[in-house]
Amino acid sequence: MKTPLVEMDGDEMTRILWRQIKEELLEPYIALKTEYYDLGLPRREETGDQVTIDAAQATRKYGVAVKCATITPNAQRVEEYKLSQMWKSPNGTIRAILDGTVFRAPIMVRGINPVVKNWEKPITIARHAFGDVYRATEYRVASPGRAELVFTAEDGTECRQTIQDFDSPGVLQGQFNLDRSIASFARSCFQYALDTKQDLWFATKDTISKQYDHTFKDLFAEIFEREYRAKFEACGITYFYTLIDDAVARVIRSRGGFIWACKNYDGDVMSDMVSTAFGSLAMMTSVLVSPEGNYEYEAAHGTVTQHYYRHLRGEEVSTNPMATLFAWTGALAKRGELDGISQLTAFAQKLERAAIDTIESGVMTGDLVGLWEGEAPAQKVTGLEFLRAIRARL
Ligand code: NAP
Ligand code: MG
């Protein structure tokens, strides 16, 4: 390797799998070069969360990162880890620094069939990773009164609209997004569609949200016409816009094999729906692509806390390392591509093939056993045994 990968370690069960993936499947075969950032919660506490910011900055410097799942603290975690504050979600912090779009795609294997029978190919969800409800200002309205939306321009001019005259308690929320973020979301999606030669779908609720959602629709349309239509035609792919409810219905009836661009909240919700329908959250890859061309690879699932607690009690657990392994292979393949090291990219591809073949041979973790419809009898193994079976095959 020429350039180091930015390695972001994490928490709980995935932290254990992280170490095992490196020891069993990476370090024996490649001269792994990483710049290590420990995003585990104890280290975030120690550094006042500076380590997360440093890791995101390093990603802008080197271009490719691989991230382990991390705890997003809540009140219970503050207690459990004796935290001085409820640190923000590391993913949120990283996305705020890098901007960009998260692409999530299922890892498909023969023998595990999507719940939706007609899904023959993966559906990739492209989630806008900035703004909307994730950066909203909100509060409880405790008593009657008037809620107004006020915008004060730099020159002092004011634009004021009544949201609601409350006659009883309720709730209130203010959301925003930026043209430049929406435009970079659009460009990331168009570019990813070209890179992977898949059609792109986009949907919002522009009939109801005539300013907010309509802006998303318009910016996508303008950028497509101006910068991408010719490229799409040359590549033989299409861009298709529809309403979010129509998109949901069409996605279910589709054969898959396209990218579905979603606003931030839609992408959060729909990626869980799509990944579950494809089999398991543990079989879902995730990559954040920034407008500057930086890539951060991760698993779509969390730190698998329930398995970790059982592991701490000395019980044997069967946690699926596929998504975390594919975060590594995705990052290694990209590093190989950017640095012109074809052996590194080839190694990543062989490792992915060995992992898929292992499952297809019937060796798998517990989460997949109930879904298994392959010919070979399912053999349930622990995460570590599964990694060793991949190693034997590799
Ligand atoms: P989770 O870690 O994704 O786990 C939820 C459940 O899904 C697990 O209990 C397990 O079900 C199943 N599961 C998820 N990944 C699995 C795997 N690799 N192998 C087998 N089963 C798997 O979500 P959570 O329990 O809601 O969150 C735990 C922690 O993760 C939280 O502190 C949260 O903040 C954090 N989180 C981090 C990220 C991230 O860093 N990207 C994302 C989401 C959540 P069974 O127990 O039924 O086996
Ligand atoms: Mg979610």
Side-chain angles (χ1 to χ4, degrees), residues 17-94:
L17 293 173
W18 192 261
R19 187 71 256 142
Q20 292 172 346
I21 288 168
K22 287 175 69 180
E23 284 173 5
E24 295 291 331
L25 293 172
L26 303 178
E27 285 161 353
Y29 304 105
I30 53 175
L32 183 66
K33 202 164 156 185
T34 73
E35 193 165 291
Y36 179 83
Y37 292 87
D38 185 359
L39 265 53
L41 191 46
R43 184 73 188 147
R44 278 182 273 151
E45 168 70 15
E46 249 172 62
T47 62
D49 210 23
Q50 186 60 40
V51 66
T52 309
I53 295 163
D54 293 345
Q57 296 298 3
T59 306
R60 295 184 69 189
K61 178 175 171 194
Y62 294 115
V64 187
V66 54
K67 180 180 170 293
C68 181
T70 47
I71 292 168
T72 298
N74 55 16
Q76 183 257 320
R77 298 296 197 168
V78 170
E79 181 73 13
E80 182 184 356
Y81 283 83
K82 305 275 172 277
L83 301 179
S84 57
Q85 343 177 351
M86 201 184 289
W87 303 110
K88 289 195 188 132
S89 151
N91 287 328
T93 302
I94 294 164

Side-chain angles (χ1 to χ4, degrees), residues 108-114 278-280 283 355-380 386:
M108 291 183 79
V109 298
R110 263 182 290 126
I112 295 175
N113 302 314
F278 269 109
S280 161
M283 297 291 281
I356 288 171
D357 287 349
T358 301
I359 297 176
E360 290 183 346
S361 77
V363 178
M364 66 196 77
T365 46
D367 55 315
L368 300 183
V369 171
L371 306 168
W372 181 245
E373 295 181 277
E375 279 164 25
Q379 189 190 334
K380 181 181 163 181
F386 179 70

Side-chain angles (χ1 to χ4, degrees), residues 65 176 384:
F176 76 97
L384 182 57

Side-chain angles (χ1 to χ4, degrees), residues 104 127 134 264-265 267-273 281 300:
R104 290 191 167 173
R127 174 181 169 191
Y134 301 86
N264 209 347
Y265 175 83
D268 187 351
V269 176
M270 291 305 165
S271 64
D272 278 18
M273 193 270 286
L281 206 54

Side-chain angles (χ1 to χ4, degrees), residues 309-327:
Y309 290 159
R310 296 212 302 272
H311 164 81
L312 290 182
R313 289 197 298 268
E315 292 171 37
E316 198 152 87
V317 289
S318 179
T319 315
N320 191 340
M322 281 291 279
T324 304
L325 175 62
F326 274 60

Side-chain angles (χ1 to χ4, degrees), residues 277-324:
F278 269 109
S280 161
L281 206 54
M283 297 291 281
M284 191 84 168
T285 63
S286 185
V287 56
L288 173 72
V289 181
S290 87
E292 291 175 349
N294 301 311
Y295 296 78
E296 184 237 329
Y297 292 83
E298 59 175 351
H301 60 76
T303 59
V304 211
T305 310
Q306 295 314 316
H307 291 210
Y308 181 62
Y309 290 159
R310 296 212 302 272
H311 164 81
L312 290 182
R313 289 197 298 268
E315 292 171 37
E316 198 152 87
V317 289
S318 179
T319 315
N320 191 340
M322 281 291 279
T324 304

